Amino acid sequence: MIDKLISIAQGAINHLFDKTFSLLSKIISEHGTSSFELPDTAYGIPLIYALEGIKITTVEEIKDFMNKIQQLDSQTLSYLYLAEIYLTLQYIRGEEPEKHDKGQYYGFLGDTVQRTLGVQLVDGRIPAVAVLIGKANYDNISKIVKELQEKKILTFLIGSIAEDFVTNSDKTGFEVYVVPVGTKIEQTVYVIDWAVRSSLIFGGQIPGQKDAILEYVRNRVNAFACVFGKINESAVATALSAIYFGIPVISDQDLPELKISEIADYPLLTSEKNYEKTVKKALETRGLKIVVEKPPIPVSYGPAFEGERIRKEDTFIEFGGQRTPSFEWVRMKNISEIEDGKTEIIGTEWKSRYEKGGQMPLGIVVNVAGKKMHKDFEPVIERQIHSFINEAEGLWHIGQRDINWIRISKMAKEAGISLEHLGVILASMVKARFKSIVDKVEVYLYVDEKDVLTLMDEARKEYKERDQRLAKLTDEDIDTFYSCLLCQSFAPKHVCVITPERPGLCGAFTWLDARAAYEIEPTGGNQPVEKGELIDPIYGRYSGVDSYVKKHSGGEIETINLYSIMENPMTSCGCFECIIAVTPEANGVMIVNRGYNGMTPIGMKFSTIAGMIGGGVQVPGFMGVGVNYITSRKFLKGDGGIKRIVWMPKELKERIRESFQKRAQEEEVPDLFEKIADETVCEDVECLVDFLARVNHPALQLDSIIK
């Protein structure tokens, strides 16, 4: 059967070669053989770079590579490379991404999105990736997409399906897990090269090592494809491309089942004509078991709805947001004080007020109790209120504590969402997600302004006490750090060590978060790390940390310093929020955040630097970190601390302004913030050095950072 499929696909390959060569000739006549850059990637034309080790950045290099395509033994790779080149040429001509007057096609999928989604991919919030290709009835496909959303699966749409969603749905984008890539079947290569890039970004694979990269994608990327509509040469070539990477294809046409033991132990081509069973068949084929936690509410529920936006005109009722008094507060109680599962609304005539819509005050008080519950876990649970409410379709939540803002959409109200359901969601999900530390939970919703204001004052006192208690917590105060090994599903050598003063590099885990996660799931990705003997207090080296890292990196990393970028720095996976990079000419370091696409003073963009340091390797002079580490007292303690910072993007500076200025006061450099350059000052090192000399930056008076 495979030989027959390859024979059919040859027609698509021949046609695509002619089409690509014709477009290449036009571009050479129009633009010459100039250089180009795909948006937001450090990998040239990514699939070719990953599998062949050839980084293509000029039209002349494309022309040279076209000659090599004809000599390839693999028809599948020939098709994929041609598709990638054809689409790249369209980018050069300004024809990609495709335009649509009713919405957005995403086209090429950049590195930043992949790194942003990295944490969700490794911690199970996105357990799989689906690709829906072709043409089918919109109502049938929308039901399939909704089911995939509820199961937390990230879905890419290609072909007529993508056009239908852009035209008919206003709920698309990475934030809702539904991404219309484009209408051309060749654009399937965008998803494939996105999957392959994970081996470079997270896995530390070396470009050109084709077999290792193939093994990585086949074993570590949970993906499947559903192909709808009539089978033609291009559909067959696309299906073979997916199969090559171990991605099973489910078709709505009558096709015999195909297994290739050299690639996978599951069917790589199978059929399911009943659209109500498509998702079930895909999950069974790929061997995925996804358990969905859903509270008893009348709307869909899952992380895919967390990115949903509810506009003012679509809002039925809202709470907080400086429109009404509002707060949320998790309190630890004795077990005897709590009636488990209780949800109560306290206020006068609240039903008629809710039914009227508009605005209401709201005080959310969640009481929890458990044998393993600690006072320090209150803020950990409290922060999850944001996700618990947002994951309900038609509910929207931003902020926290006493600056929260909640909206319920007209659609959710029509579906049957009541005020009680806010309490039901919180009672159900706190118990479900924190079942190992919470034995009982009850929720009270206060809706009279007087009650809300009185309780808000009590909550604010508790917020302040918490902050003071946690601010005093130092690495020296405790005997146990925590690891995060979640990213090892993608970056096998990486070990993240989390301390009170060094949060996880992804920004998602503090020491308290990791401690709570261990209590919740003792065999999970967060494990205790005994500090052991303090070997170096300045660089932050501990014997227990060294032993743990060596063991759990498979012997790849023998020692790390927690507070240094220059001497045995901690490794990075790929989903870091920021990168610190040594800038020798300025005797300091620059910091660039994910999402900043401009040039930096060291002559590289974020994506280029990130490509050098991911995958669990130690790279002295470069290190991925979380934003909050920048204002830690332990920030680069071994290298001179915050006085070494000479450049940051303006957006990052403004984001940390308040906490940074507090740290600068503690370090007796109160004017340091204004002496740190950003892109409005310079993007090259010569200009940076001139600026630092002009403002008398303290880094220039420190010992050389290169030792």
Side-chain angles (χ1 to χ4, degrees):
M1 179 183 175
I2 190 68
D3 291 337
K4 183 178 179 181
L5 292 174
I6 291 172
S7 176
I8 294 171
Q10 186 60 52
I13 296 169
N14 294 339
H15 176 69
L16 185 56
F17 184 90
D18 292 341
K19 188 166 65 170
T20 304
F21 192 81
S22 175
L23 183 56
L24 176 62
S25 299
K26 287 181 182 178
I27 287 177
I28 291 174
S29 65
E30 294 169 356
H31 303 281
T33 55
S34 58
S35 61
F36 64 89
E37 185 176 62
L38 287 173
D40 189 31
T41 185
Y43 303 111
I45 302 181
L47 192 63
I48 294 170
Y49 178 56
L51 299 183
E52 303 297 333
I54 300 171
K55 191 170 185 177
I56 296 174
T57 58
T58 70
V59 175
E60 179 68 29
E61 290 168 344
I62 290 179
K63 183 180 178 182
D64 291 342
F65 191 79
M66 283 286 288
N67 296 325
K68 296 180 181 179
I69 288 177
Q70 294 178 305
Q71 301 167 16
L72 289 173
D73 294 331
S74 170
Q75 287 175 298
T76 298
L77 288 183
S78 296
Y79 178 78
L80 284 170
Y81 293 163
L82 285 169
E84 195 174 32
I85 289 172
Y86 177 71
L87 294 169
T88 299
L89 294 172
Q90 290 199 317
Y91 257 106
I92 294 172
R93 294 194 85 195
E95 297 171 3
E96 278 275 325
E98 295 176 277
K99 306 294 190 296
H100 195 288
D101 58 0
K102 290 190 177 180
Q104 178 182 9
Y105 295 116
Y106 281 76
F108 181 79
L109 305 168
D111 298 350
T112 297
V113 171
Q114 193 157 24
R115 295 180 190 280
T116 303
L117 293 175
V119 180
Q120 297 176 61
L121 287 164
V122 301
D123 70 10
R125 278 178 288 168
I126 299 178
V129 173
V131 190
L132 308 189
I133 308 168
K135 182 177 183 178
N137 178 273
Y138 175 73
D139 290 338
N140 289 332
I141 297 300
S142 62
K143 290 175 184 177
I144 290 173
V145 168
K146 179 64 71 69
E147 186 177 354
L148 291 168
Q149 284 181 299
E150 289 180 340
K151 294 184 184 301
K152 309 180 290 185
I153 294 171
L154 176 63
T155 303
F156 295 103
L157 309 176
I158 296 165
S160 295
I161 290 171
E163 185 174 8
D164 286 344
F165 269 79
V166 168
T167 303
N168 298 303
S169 175
D170 61 354
K171 296 178 180 178
T172 60
F174 280 97
E175 63 276 9
V176 294
Y177 290 26
V178 181
V179 182
V181 178
T183 64
K184 299 187 284 285
I185 195 167
E186 293 92 350
Q187 289 164 321
T188 306
V189 76
Y190 286 148
V191 184
I192 291 175
D193 83 32
W194 196 72
V196 168
R197 255 178 292 159
S198 68
S199 69
L200 306 181
I201 289 174
F202 301 110
Q205 301 295 323
I206 298 171
Q209 294 189 350
K210 189 181 301 178
D211 291 343
I213 290 172
L214 279 172
E215 182 181 3
Y216 181 98
V217 175
R218 290 170 179 174
N219 294 331
R220 295 183 181 274
V221 179
N222 290 330
F224 58 85
C226 299
V227 180
F228 303 96
K230 293 181 180 180
I231 301 297
N232 56 29
E233 292 177 343
S234 295
V236 172
T238 301
L240 287 174
S241 299
I243 288 168
Y244 183 76
F245 288 94
I247 300 172
V249 176
I250 294 82
S251 172
D252 63 350
Q253 306 296 304
D254 281 321
L255 295 172
E257 187 172 275
L258 173 66
K259 279 191 173 183
I260 304 176
S261 58
E262 296 84 5
I263 295 177
D265 58 3
Y266 46 80
L268 288 166
L269 179 64
T270 188
S271 296
E272 180 53 71
K273 300 181 73 173
N274 186 339
Y275 294 120
E276 293 182 358
K277 296 180 180 180
T278 298
V279 175
K280 182 175 182 288
K281 184 63 173 282
L283 295 178
E284 288 176 349
T285 301
R286 192 64 180 84
L288 298 172
K289 296 179 181 179
I290 299 175
V291 178
V292 179
E293 296 172 337
K294 184 181 186 298
I297 57 175
V299 295
S300 297
Y301 193 86
F305 305 104
E306 192 171 351
E308 182 183 12
R309 297 290 182 266
I310 298 177
R311 302 182 183 93
K312 182 178 179 180
E313 59 270 22
D314 298 324
T315 300
F316 165 68
I317 196 167
E318 61 183 342
F319 315 89
Q322 298 183 341
R323 287 140 172 86
T324 65
S326 182
F327 73 94
E328 51 202 35
W329 182 17
V330 171
R331 304 185 300 188
M332 188 177 81
K333 296 282 188 177
N334 292 324
I335 287 182
S336 60
E337 297 178 277
I338 291 181
E339 182 181 338
D340 190 32
K342 180 181 180 180
T343 296
E344 183 176 349
I345 301 172
I346 300 173
T348 55
E349 300 180 354
W350 62 266
K351 287 187 178 180
S352 60
R353 291 160 61 195
Y354 175 79
E355 290 299 326
K356 182 181 177 182
Q359 299 173 346
M360 283 179 71
L362 182 64
I364 300 174
V365 178
V366 181
N367 294 329
V368 296
K371 294 177 182 177
K372 293 186 177 182
M373 182 67 194
H374 297 286
K375 188 76 174 170
D376 288 342
F377 292 165
E378 287 177 344
V380 175
I381 298 173
E382 198 172 271
R383 284 200 302 275
Q384 293 305 307
I385 289 175
H386 171 78
S387 294
F388 293 158
I389 292 176
N390 262 333
E391 289 184 15
E393 186 180 20
L395 273 64
W396 179 79
H397 178 287
I398 63 171
Q400 59 179 324
R401 291 187 172 182
D402 58 343
I403 57 170
N404 63 349
W405 186 7
I406 300 169
R407 280 179 169 174
I408 296 176
S409 73
K410 294 173 183 176
M411 178 277 295
K413 173 63 170 58
E414 291 171 3
I417 283 288
S418 65
L419 189 57
E420 295 104 314
H421 283 123
L422 283 179
V424 169
I425 289 169
L426 296 177
S428 301
M429 298 313 296
V430 167
K431 194 77 174 289
R433 301 271 175 94
F434 294 95
K435 57 181 176 288
S436 296
I437 59 175
V438 173
D439 299 323
K440 288 186 176 183
V441 58
E442 62 183 10
V443 180
Y444 293 93
L445 304 177
Y446 295 85
V447 294
D448 286 351
E449 185 165 326
K450 182 180 178 182
D451 291 341
V452 173
L453 291 172
T454 299
L455 284 164
M456 188 186 295
D457 285 340
E458 291 183 34
R460 283 170 173 165
K461 291 176 184 176
E462 179 62 25
Y463 301 152
K464 186 175 181 180
E465 288 177 10
R466 281 183 196 163
D467 291 343
Q468 290 174 342
R469 184 168 69 249
L470 297 179
K472 294 176 182 177
L473 190 63
T474 69
D475 290 358
E476 289 78 15
D477 290 334
I478 47 95
D479 297 322
T480 306
F481 297 151
Y482 285 90
S483 68
C484 183
L485 303 177
L486 290 171
C487 289
Q488 286 201 340
S489 59
F490 281 91
K493 297 182 289 186
H494 172 59
V495 180
C496 195
V497 178
I498 301 170
T499 81
E501 297 182 271
R502 199 189 196 291
L505 58 84
C506 65
F509 283 89
T510 66
W511 182 80
L512 281 179
D513 293 324
R515 180 185 172 197
Y518 172 67
E519 293 287 352
I520 293 166
E521 190 177 357
T523 60
N526 299 107
Q527 294 293 310
V529 180
E530 297 301 322
K531 288 163 58 175
E533 178 190 353
L534 176 59
I535 299 172
D536 192 321
I538 304 299
Y539 282 93
R541 185 181 176 197
Y542 296 86
S543 63
V545 172
D546 280 354
S547 298
Y548 186 93
V549 170
K550 183 175 182 179
K551 177 181 178 181
H552 290 275
S553 67
E556 293 285 339
I557 308 297
E558 297 199 357
T559 182
I560 64 168
N561 292 318
L562 296 172
Y563 317 141
S564 176
I565 188 179
M566 300 304 297
E567 300 287 336
N568 298 314
M570 198 165 82
T571 60
S572 303
C573 53
C575 47
F576 32 74
E577 291 187 301
C578 301
I579 299 172
I580 310 173
V582 66
T583 312
E585 298 91 339
N587 201 36
V589 300
M590 54 152 254
I591 307 174
V592 57
N593 57 299
R594 185 177 63 213
Y596 175 72
N597 294 320
M599 186 55 68
T600 71
I602 64 171
M604 292 185 282
K605 295 183 177 181
F606 178 93
S607 56
T608 302
I609 309 170
M612 296 165 44
I613 69 172
V617 296
Q618 269 181 325
V619 186
F622 298 87
M623 184 167 62
V625 298
V627 170
N628 289 338
Y629 179 54
I630 299 171
T631 52
S632 165
R633 294 184 187 91
K634 295 296 195 295
F635 176 80
L636 301 193
K637 182 181 176 183
D639 306 318
I642 63 170
K643 294 177 184 178
R644 289 287 188 188
I645 303 174
V646 296
W647 189 92
M648 284 190 284
K650 188 175 181 61
E651 183 272 330
L652 178 60
K653 282 183 68 177
E654 292 303 319
R655 181 176 170 184
I656 65 172
R657 175 189 284 270
E658 185 177 346
S659 54
F660 187 91
Q661 289 183 322
K662 182 180 177 182
R663 279 288 301 124
Q665 289 279 356
E666 292 172 354
E667 294 292 324
E668 299 181 347
V669 282
D671 57 351
L672 178 60
F673 186 85
E674 302 302 331
K675 293 182 176 182
I676 296 173
D678 58 40
E679 72 275 18
T680 66
V681 175
C682 59
E683 290 185 336
D684 63 89
V685 74
E686 292 82 6
C687 177
L688 174 61
V689 172
D690 288 343
F691 171 80
L692 299 177
R694 234 176 17 251
V695 299
N696 194 27
H697 193 290
L700 302 180
Q701 279 74 54
L702 297 176
D703 292 339
S704 174
I705 194 169
I706 305 293
K707 298 176 182 178

